Each structure stands twice: as structure tokens, then as C-alpha cells.
Amino acid sequence: MIGRGLALLVLLSLPLVSAAERETIVVGTKTFTESYVLGELMAQVLESSGHTVERRFGFGGTLICFEALRNGDIDLYPEYGGTIQRAIYGGLLADKDIARRLDSDGLRLLGEFGFNNTYALAMPGELAQRLNIRNISDLRDHPDLEIGLSHEFLSRADGWPGLQQRYGLTQTARGIEHGLAYQALREGEIQLTDAYSTDGEVPRYRLTLLRDDLGFFPRYMAAPLVRNELPASATQALQRLAGILDEARMQQLNGAVVIEGREIADVAADFLESEGLLSQRTDSASMWHRLLRNTLTHLQLTGIALFLGCVAGLLAGVAVHRSPRMSRAVLHTASLIQTIPSIALLALMIPLLGVGKPPAIAALFVYSLLPILASTVTALRCVDPVLSRVATALGLTRWQQIRHVQLPLAMPHILSGIRTAAVISIGTATLAAFIGAGGLGQPIVTGLALNDPALILEGAVPAALLAVLTELGFELLERRLVAPPLRTREDF
Amino acid sequence: MGWHNVGTVTDEDIDCCVRFDRVSKQLSGQILLDDLSVRVPERLTTAVIGASGSGKSSLLNHINGLLQPDSGVVELFGQPLDYRQLSEIRRRIGYAVQEIGLFPHMSVAANITLMARLAGWAERRIDERVEQLLTVAKLPRELLGRYPGTLSGGQQQRVGLCRALMLEPELLLLDEAFSGVDPIARQDIYRDFIALRDQAKCTVVLVTHDIREAVSLAQYGIVLRDGLVEQAGELADLVRNPANSYVESLFSGQIP
């Protein structure tokens, strides 16, 4: 059984290994439409010039994305000058200083795409007219305004805190997913949100962008942020994108995705074709292909984590169950870890393991540990002491007792612990997409960013199905691993 | 040293299978054995008799090392018990208890043969031994595939004995092994046990609080009270010449 388990682990690890020794260029993005569109433009231009590209789109936040780039988990992503200056390096640096700081991190900015996507505050046009709000400073007269801001804007220095200070604003703002903010505006749930000046929704929802009359927001010129060791052929290809997008065109591309609901890959290809930058269209992956790839990645993440969880949980459980004090200590530690919110645990793994699959697997492993460990310890402690005494007296060694008496008797309980861990892992693994691990969370994250329910379902439905299949799989496993008298159903 | 009046068998002329030399044991502040010295003669059945709390189960559990003495020496098969080799030694000792303790997740066959399989016995040897045990214990072969939970109490007890005797032990320890059997079935199981024992030709130490059971099954007796030996010797002798009023009161009216 152990041999088979190891073989499974090796099999599951194969894609990890091959990904590590890739020669492909990895393109990353953050989780909003424009980032996806720019990422896709860069990916297609690279592909068109003969490079192999891996798309790792949808890193959950600027710092995660930047960290991924600095660690070499990705080779490039689209970034904005103002963001580098304020959010990443946290200060007002001259352009020259920024270039030097980037260079010391092994990075550089390529030529700007040409548009300035600055932050803006948006509110419904009628409401702005009724309240007579045109400039951001007008907000001071309306302290009761319902403000919902994207989580990142809410916390970054060049976002809400700085803006509040500069303009002397007293309103309290709550966090809302950026992709849902426009809907919340339309439904009147919030009255003001942060927007990007190139958002496709601005014309569609007839929103008014408030004028930054005190000049708080810096210029956010978008450009490819790349690692220095990117081959010259790749940077040359990317330089062809310099200066080809102005605000209106960017709004148009964003709108085509968000409002017309077109595939990002098609929107990008059409644009590049019209600019004469695409020699041949690469077929975008079909939904089924995507589904298969995401499902396999998902299974890989949860499978490895669960396998490691079983090994560690069973070993630790067997090791400590005889000592009540050790059992308590181990169980308390495990439950303490379990209380860390999963998204926080994923983020905590980044400084240790970077981004991508390893930190996701580590986090899922930590989560699967508690149910397995707890059920193992409890089940072993519940084994009838008479049976243990008889087993000892008959001359079974410690290991033989564990193997032939305690573990088989504890198996139903242990299996239900593993089953719980498996279902939790499958659910939690959808969050792993935020740190670039892929899996079925990928379409959910993208769908959330693009406000595309179909895309969200493309991740959520298979994830739910996987959970159900796992339940069924464990019922079959119970038939094989649990002696008939110990089974829960009376079918023997 | 608490060794009284042993009649025709003296401690010098018996071949002994187990010897306790000044063994003391306390557990959570309670004295279980108090400087106890005693011998168990080879190839006989010895009944350890006493009220509950007299230390009789503690004595039994010292023989197979489930308990280790605080002081004193336990000798087994002519050598001091080696606590690093307990698993090997225990395979030479059969063990059956009142709660029976059959493994509920194993079939009757698996329960009986587990130790033989772990000891690497050949399949054929296992089959022959099982056949032998089943015949003597009057257990039908059909029971082999069933699980212990579906057997009657008497059948479970017989399976427990078969398991204890599977490896042809030199010594068999029984801790109130027949107390759970209802009185009507008890005579039958006594008869079958005697058959098993005579077939196995092993030394037996049985712990019981039932004088009638001791007299039915054993030739030799050890009477314990408060962790001390009141009297030890041939049972017939204990009955005829009790060393004190306690022993006398135990056996009064118990002679068939």
C-alpha cells in the first residue's frame, strides 16, 4: 500500500518538476480585466514571435504578483508606473531612482503601452448631478455617502488613506470586490467606488468620474515589467506594443470583454491583427481543454497535499496517541493552525515558498493535517484497552499491534477524518489560484474579476462535482479498508 | 516467607515453571504484591484463588511481563524474565481472559491463526493445528469464516482458548476465563478445556474467585490475600489441612 502511495506521489509530482525546468516564458497578471487583456496581448505577441508562453493569470494583489516576478515564478506582468512608485517602493521616487531600484531587484520596465490608467472615483451620473458633485473635494459636503472600495485601493498608500488625508474626507468606506462594485453601484447598494480611468464600464453605466482637483493621483502609465534575463528576442517583441494604446482604445478593449462578454484571447487577437502585430492566430484553448487542465491541476494540488497529510497525520497520530499530554498538545496546535483563514495562510506561505504550486500544496497540507491527526488520535485512543492488553499478551510487537489491531479498528474513524480533509482541500484549493497555483480556482478568480458568472461556474461546478466524487470514492475505499463488522452500514 | 505446609510436594522437589522471589509491586499508591514468593509447578494446573483485590490478577500479569515488579525477581522457564525480549517470551505463553478479547475485525479463523502467521508457520501446519484445536474444542468448522460478534458467549470463549493454544505454548494463563460463561454451559466448557489442556500438555495458571472452578480444574492451589500468599500446595492438601482460618473458610463446604 505504501509503495502504491509513493508511486502515486511521484506521478502527481511530475508536472511540478517539468514546470520547474521550463524554457517557456511565464506571463502573469493581476485579477482585473485590463491586467488580463494586457497579459494576453503580451502573451500573443510573444507566441507570435516564436516563444512558448505559459499564462499564469490572476495573482491576488500587486505585492503577490511583484513577489512572484522577483522570485522568478513569472517572467513578466503588466504594471503601472504609479503603482511601482507608491505601492511597491512606498515613496515618491524620481523615474531614474525607480529604474535603479528595479534594476537592483533584477527587473526593468519596457516601453509604456501609451495610456494612463489612473485611479478615479466614480459615481452614477444622475446622482452626481443631483448632489452637485464634480470634483473629489465636493465629497466633503456629503459625509453620509455610501462608499465601497476595492480591497487593494482601501489599503494602499496611494489609495483611500492618502486620498482621505489630502482631501480631508470623513466618510468610512467598506471593501468590495472590484468586479462587483459596478453592479453594487447600479443597485444603489453603494454610491461611490474607485474605478480605473480606462474601465469599460464607465460609459456603459453612465458613470461620472470625479475630477482629481488637488492632483492626488499620480500617473499610472502601464508597461510590461520584466525580469532582466528575459531573452532579447522576447523584449524586442514586447517593445512592439509600446505606444499603441490610448485611454479610449483601452476602454474599448476592456469594454469588449466586460460588457460584450467576448473572450479575452479573441479581443486581444483582433486588436493585434488590426495593428498588424500578429502573424498567425494561436488557437485559444477550448473550454474543455481548459477544464481538463484546471481539473488535473486541482487534483494534483489536493492529491499531493492529502497524501502528505495522511502520511504525517497517521505517523504523528500513532506516535502520540499513547500519551494523553502529547495528544492534547498536538491536537491543540493543529486546531490553532486551522483557525488561520485559508487566504491568509496562503499569503503567509509566499515569503517561505514563493508563489505557485509549492506554497499552495504546503497550505493545503497544513489544513488537511488536523482532521486526519484528530481522527487518528481519537480513534486510536478509543480502541478497547482489553484488546490492546490481549494483543500485547499474545506476543504482538508494538508495530504488529498497530498494524493488525489498532489501525484496523480505528480505520472507520480515520477514514472519515481523511474524507473530511479531502473535501476541505478540494474547496480550499480553489483559493490557491490567488497565489498563482492554478486549478479550478483559476476560472473563479478570473470570472470574479470579469464579473462573468459563466466563468465562475466553470470553476465552481467541477469543484463541487469533485467533492461529491470524493465522497463516493471514500465509500468504495471504506469497503476495501474496513472489516465488515466495523462498517457503518449493515451490508455484511 | 509465606510458604506454608505444602504436604507431599515441597518447594525443593517440584520442577517449577514460574518462580516469584520476594516480588513487590505498587500501582498508584496501592500495594498489589507484598514481598511475595511462590512457585508454580510444571505441567500441572495451578489455581490462584482469592477475593477481588487480593492481587491474583497482578500475580498473573507479572508472569507475562504486563506488569514489572518494583523489587524482587520473576523467573520463567528457569530464567529471570528478560523484559527486552517480552514479545518472544509471550509467544510461548497462551493467554485468555474473562472479556475474551477476540479481535472484532478479524474472522474466527484470523483470530486463531494470527500469531502463527506472524511467526511464519507454513499454511499446512496452520491448517492441521486449527483442525486439531477445533476438534478438541468441539467447534464446527463453519464458524471459521464468521466474525466473533455473531458467536454465542460459549463459542467465543472456546475460540479464545484455541487462539491462546495455537502456538502450542508451554504455559497457559487464564484470568477468570470462564466467569462469563453461564452456569449451565460451564460444565461443558470445563470438560472441553480439560481436553484441550491434556492435548496441549502445558502448565496452566488460572486465576479465579470461584472455589468450585479451582477444584474442578486444578491440582495445585495458591491462596492470596492482600498481596500475600496465605497458603500454597496441592489443592487436596489445602482442603484437608488449611493453614489458617481464612483458607479453611474459603474451602468449607466446597468439597464435592
Side-chain angles (χ1 to χ4, degrees):
Chain A
M1 205 172 105
I2 294 169
R4 223 180 303 163
L6 280 178
L8 187 70
L9 185 69
V10 169
L11 205 68
L12 285 166
S13 316
L14 280 179
L16 272 183
V17 175
S18 64
E21 48 190 32
R22 64 194 142 78
E23 302 229 343
T24 53
I25 296 174
V26 184
V27 181
T29 73
K30 301 188 215 171
T31 53
F32 52 87
T33 311
E34 187 169 288
S35 197
Y36 285 111
V37 172
L38 293 174
E40 187 60 35
L41 286 173
M42 298 193 300
Q44 289 191 12
V45 162
L46 287 170
E47 279 168 345
S48 172
S49 63
H51 295 91
T52 313
V53 172
E54 187 192 330
R55 291 164 174 76
R56 274 215 232 156
F57 290 180
F59 283 89
T62 294
L63 292 182
I64 294 179
C65 207
F66 185 75
E67 202 56 36
L69 183 70
R70 203 158 56 166
N71 288 342
D73 294 306
I74 56 177
D75 295 307
L76 69 153
Y77 77 97
E79 189 50 284
Y80 302 85
T83 306
I84 298 174
Q85 192 182 36
R86 300 199 172 196
I88 296 177
Y89 291 136
L92 290 161
L93 297 171
D95 286 357
K96 207 168 56 182
D97 296 329
I98 286 179
R100 202 177 311 130
R101 284 287 292 274
L102 283 174
D103 192 55
S104 69
D105 281 329
L107 312 173
R108 67 189 167 119
L109 274 170
L110 299 182
E112 292 163 354
F113 295 111
F115 63 91
N116 174 24
N117 178 5
T118 189
Y119 270 122
L121 294 185
M123 59 191 302
E126 292 167 34
L127 185 67
Q129 215 160 20
R130 188 150 48 82
L131 299 179
N132 199 22
I133 300 175
R134 272 191 298 270
N135 301 323
I136 295 181
S137 49
D138 295 337
L139 292 176
R140 280 188 289 235
D141 307 329
H142 302 277
D144 297 330
L145 224 50
E146 283 289 332
I147 303 181
L149 303 173
S150 68
H151 298 283
E152 193 172 335
F153 185 77
L154 204 52
S155 58
R156 47 192 274 181
D158 59 346
W160 180 245
L163 191 76
Q164 237 184 343
Q165 208 177 7
R166 173 72 66 87
Y167 281 93
L169 300 178
T170 55
Q171 294 90 342
T172 44
R174 58 189 160 109
I176 187 167
E177 194 60 43
H178 184 63
L180 303 175
Y182 292 111
Q183 206 174 335
L185 268 185
R186 197 175 44 175
E187 286 164 7
E189 212 168 306
I190 56 173
Q191 296 168 313
L192 182 84
T193 190
D194 59 308
Y196 303 105
S197 55
T198 51
D199 273 357
E201 290 93 338
V202 173
R204 188 199 181 193
Y205 292 115
R206 296 200 193 91
L207 301 179
T208 299
L209 297 181
L210 305 189
R211 209 169 68 82
D212 180 17
D213 48 330
L214 297 184
F216 173 74
F217 292 121
R219 287 165 61 77
Y220 286 87
M221 300 298 292
L225 182 58
V226 306
R227 292 179 62 80
N228 279 338
E229 62 260 33
L230 203 64
S233 58
T235 51
Q236 275 158 22
L238 290 168
Q239 292 293 20
R240 274 183 255 153
L241 293 171
I244 63 165
L245 286 160
D246 56 16
E247 282 83 7
R249 291 185 117 167
M250 197 63 236
Q251 263 182 11
Q252 214 178 350
L253 296 187
N254 288 337
V257 173
V258 180
I259 297 162
E260 295 160 37
R262 296 182 55 206
E263 292 275 337
I264 293 173
D266 293 338
V267 172
D270 286 351
F271 175 73
L272 289 176
E273 240 170 15
S274 72
E275 294 291 316
L277 289 174
L278 204 60
S279 51
Q280 66 183 70
R281 290 179 81 116
T282 46
D283 287 331
S284 59
S286 72
M287 188 191 81
W288 293 110
H289 182 84
R290 222 164 41 214
L291 197 63
L292 184 69
R293 196 192 53 203
N294 288 337
T295 306
L296 286 178
T297 307
H298 207 85
L299 285 175
Q300 185 195 18
L301 294 174
T302 50
I304 296 178
L306 198 64
F307 178 82
L308 295 176
C310 285
V311 172
L314 283 172
L315 286 180
V318 167
V320 304
H321 80 275
R322 278 167 187 270
S323 150
R325 194 184 302 175
M326 291 274 283
S327 303
R328 257 199 311 276
V330 165
L331 286 181
H332 282 327
T333 312
S335 2
L336 205 68
I337 293 172
Q338 198 81 358
T339 59
I340 304 174
S342 35
I343 194 82
L345 189 65
L346 282 169
L348 284 174
M349 290 292 167
I350 296 173
L352 302 174
L353 294 166
V355 295
K357 286 173 185 168
I361 289 170
L364 292 175
F365 159 73
V366 168
Y367 268 113
S368 67
L369 204 52
L370 175 71
I372 298 174
L373 190 57
S375 63
T376 305
V377 170
T378 315
L380 288 176
R381 288 188 69 80
C382 285
V383 169
D384 184 353
V386 170
L387 296 180
S388 299
R389 179 156 53 92
V390 168
T392 310
L394 287 177
L396 285 118
T397 61
R398 179 80 53 99
W399 166 243
Q400 287 169 339
Q401 287 179 45
I402 297 277
R403 158 91 179 72
H404 294 285
V405 180
Q406 272 110 7
L407 274 185
L409 287 172
M411 195 48 80
H413 208 95
I414 294 177
L415 267 186
S416 75
I418 298 178
R419 182 201 290 224
T420 307
V423 174
I424 290 179
S425 288
I426 288 172
T428 311
T430 53
L431 294 174
F434 278 113
I435 60 170
L440 290 168
Q442 188 80 64
I444 297 180
V445 169
T446 313
L448 212 55
L450 305 183
N451 201 6
D452 180 346
L455 209 50
I456 295 175
L457 288 179
E458 192 184 309
V461 171
L465 278 177
L466 270 189
V468 172
L469 285 177
T470 304
E471 292 276 354
L472 291 176
F474 270 93
E475 267 175 40
L476 292 178
L477 205 61
E478 193 178 40
R479 277 167 198 271
R480 293 203 46 178
L481 292 182
V482 175
L486 307 180
R487 282 179 204 154
T488 41
R489 291 168 306 286
E490 303 111 68
D491 55 2
F492 67 93
Chain B
M1 283 205 305
W3 186 258
H4 307 277
N5 201 14
V6 287
T8 53
V9 186
T10 71
D11 57 338
E12 299 311 321
D13 61 11
I14 52 173
D15 287 328
C16 77
C17 175
V18 181
R19 198 170 75 89
F20 278 52
D21 187 10
R22 307 199 55 176
V23 170
S24 294
K25 177 72 177 178
Q26 289 193 21
L27 210 62
S28 7
Q30 199 195 344
I31 297 173
L32 302 180
L33 299 180
D34 187 4
D35 199 28
L36 179 145
S37 297
V38 78
R39 292 170 184 227
V40 171
E42 216 163 72
R43 298 200 188 284
L44 296 182
T45 296
T46 296
V48 181
I49 307 158
S52 59
S54 61
K56 52 191 196 307
S57 288
S58 306
L59 186 144
L60 197 78
N61 289 338
H62 273 85
I63 297 176
N64 59 6
L66 287 179
L67 289 175
Q68 295 191 21
D70 297 332
S71 64
V73 177
V74 176
E75 237 176 56
L76 185 66
F77 307 134
Q79 286 176 343
L81 199 48
D82 183 350
Y83 293 95
R84 291 160 308 176
Q85 304 281 323
L86 282 177
S87 292
E88 287 82 349
I89 294 166
R90 284 170 180 152
R91 291 182 185 198
R92 297 164 66 189
I93 308 174
Y95 185 73
V97 294
Q98 178 179 1
E99 306 91 329
I100 308 172
L102 294 179
F103 302 127
H105 60 291
M106 293 182 191
S107 68
V108 167
N111 263 284
I112 296 176
T113 61
L114 173 65
M115 292 315 297
R117 286 183 202 287
L118 291 178
W121 282 28
E123 206 60 36
R124 198 193 149 119
R125 185 176 172 204
I126 292 177
D127 284 348
E128 284 172 5
R129 179 66 180 152
V130 169
E131 192 61 52
Q132 212 172 28
L133 289 169
L134 291 183
T135 311
V136 182
K138 297 207 172 65
L139 283 169
R141 271 198 79 84
E142 301 84 80
L143 293 188
L144 284 178
R146 283 168 55 181
Y147 286 92
T150 66
L151 268 52
S152 73
Q155 286 171 328
Q156 290 187 22
Q157 199 56 261
R158 285 173 169 81
V159 172
L161 285 173
C162 289
R163 180 175 67 177
L165 291 168
M166 180 70 198
L167 292 183
E168 301 172 328
E170 295 149 71
L171 172 62
L172 175 62
L173 305 180
L174 303 176
D175 193 348
E176 303 275 11
F178 305 113
S179 306
V181 181
D182 66 79
I184 299 167
R186 207 169 288 176
Q187 289 310 316
D188 290 340
I189 200 160
Y190 285 168
R191 189 193 58 226
D192 296 336
F193 163 70
I194 289 170
L196 279 168
R197 176 192 67 188
D198 294 348
Q199 191 270 341
K201 297 189 185 66
C202 61
T203 308
V204 178
V205 180
L206 68 91
V207 158
T208 182
H209 63 274
D210 181 353
I211 303 297
R212 194 179 295 271
E213 179 170 304
V215 172
S216 307
L217 301 178
Q219 299 95 20
Y220 200 82
I222 298 171
V223 179
L224 286 188
R225 186 161 70 150
D226 298 334
L228 286 166
V229 177
E230 288 286 330
Q231 190 175 6
E234 283 187 46
L235 259 180
D237 212 51
L238 296 188
V239 176
R240 268 195 306 272
N241 305 307
N244 53 39
S245 57
Y246 179 73
V247 178
E248 187 175 12
S249 71
L250 267 185
F251 285 100
S252 63
Q254 295 297 337
I255 315 301

